[in-house]
Amino acid sequence: MPPVITSRTNETVKQTRALTQARARREQGLHLVEGEKLVREAAASGCAVARLFVEEGFIAPEADAEQTVTVSRGVMEALCESRTPQHVCAAVRTPSSAAPETFPAGLLVVLDRVQDAGNLGTIVRTADAFGAAGVFVGTGSADPFSGKALRAAMGSTYHLPVWQGDAAAALDALAAQGFVCLCGHLQGEAALPDVTARMALVIGNEGNGVSDAVAARCLRYRLPMPGRAESLNAAVAAGILIYELAMRMAKA
């Protein structure tokens, strides 16, 4: 049987623990996945599992890992961000997030400086649930492969394409490819435009909304709110708009 790693200062443990930081994720080309469900989702999507960590006394999940390491409970707790982690975590090779030359038809969700990782992950999960063709994460947004974002997405990060780059440039490319670009905006129209088979929905920053440069490239829509609240949480607003557009597109 392989030896059990019990030291939190073990080099492999230290390198993997560093993946909780964005810089280490970029440098290593890896991200940390916690829990058996997410490890299985990552492996099933085709992502390579570089290092699989299994707590002593538990059976490793089916994943074609390059390296499998058995660790003590204390080391598992050191590796993970969760307060009470499960018995499995993994360092997974991050898939390419470069935008394609041609975007797939359907509903795409574009995030403009959505900075809360929990909101970002929730939006990815909602987009997945309603059949979106992909999510574009604009510069200045949270990292979709951070632990908080991955946990909020509940595996959806591995179910649909997640691209990263400049949101304004992406919208220019989308418009050239026949997409109708729509953003939520407090000064927008009160009625949704007619939907087409190619729609790009932009969700803006939690505090400041969509940037001027991005809004200038979009039709603007103001979500009717008869109550007294001025605005909605970004993930909640995204959920309403994704649902509404997806249902209209399905009927078109």
Side-chain angles (χ1 to χ4, degrees):
M1 293 183 65
V4 178
I5 294 178
T6 59
S7 172
R8 301 184 181 201
T9 60
N10 174 276
E11 192 58 36
T12 300
V13 172
K14 287 167 61 179
Q15 287 182 358
T16 305
R17 174 60 183 172
L19 297 176
T20 57
Q21 304 300 315
R23 179 177 177 179
R25 290 195 293 273
R26 290 192 300 270
E27 290 176 349
Q28 296 186 43
L30 301 168
H31 60 278
L32 182 64
V33 177
E34 296 184 28
E36 187 168 340
K37 179 184 184 298
L38 287 185
V39 170
R40 289 183 183 277
E41 292 278 7
S45 75
C47 288
V49 178
R51 298 189 291 270
L52 177 66
F53 295 86
V54 182
E55 185 179 339
E56 182 182 16
F58 290 89
I59 298 173
E62 293 182 9
D64 189 16
E66 298 168 20
Q67 179 184 13
T68 300
V69 183
T70 303
V71 299
S72 65
R73 180 62 185 174
V75 170
M76 183 61 69
E77 291 174 345
L79 283 166
C80 298
E81 292 180 296
S82 303
R83 289 186 178 181
T84 55
Q86 298 179 27
H87 59 274
V88 174
C89 70
V92 174
R93 300 201 181 281
T94 305
S96 171
S97 59
E101 289 188 12
T102 303
F103 287 93
L107 174 60
L108 301 183
V109 180
V110 180
L111 306 184
D112 179 27
R113 301 169 303 133
V114 173
Q115 295 177 332
D116 184 274
N119 281 339
L120 189 149
T122 299
I123 293 169
V124 171
R125 183 180 180 185
T126 304
D128 177 29
F130 292 106
V135 176
F136 189 96
V137 180
T139 303
S141 297
D143 182 358
F145 293 97
S146 68
K148 185 176 181 181
L150 288 169
R151 291 192 296 275
M154 292 288 289
S156 289
T157 310
Y158 304 112
H159 297 168
L160 75 175
V162 177
W163 308 292
Q164 297 185 78
D166 182 76
L171 289 169
D172 287 339
L174 288 164
Q177 293 172 30
F179 280 81
V180 174
C181 301
L182 174 72
C183 71
H185 201 285
L186 292 176
Q187 279 74 53
E189 298 293 329
L192 280 169
D194 292 337
V195 300
T196 70
R198 297 172 182 264
M199 299 291 296
L201 170 66
V202 181
I203 304 299
N205 175 267
E206 290 87 348
N208 301 311
V210 177
S211 65
D212 292 342
V214 167
R217 291 165 164 81
C218 299
L219 299 177
R220 305 181 188 190
Y221 172 65
R222 182 182 74 256
L223 187 66
M225 292 186 293
R228 296 173 62 185
E230 223 178 60
S231 61
L232 291 171
N233 168 274
V236 172
I240 295 169
L241 291 170
I242 290 169
Y243 172 82
E244 186 65 29
L245 288 176
M247 294 303 101
R248 292 189 183 207
M249 292 171 72
K251 295 175 182 178

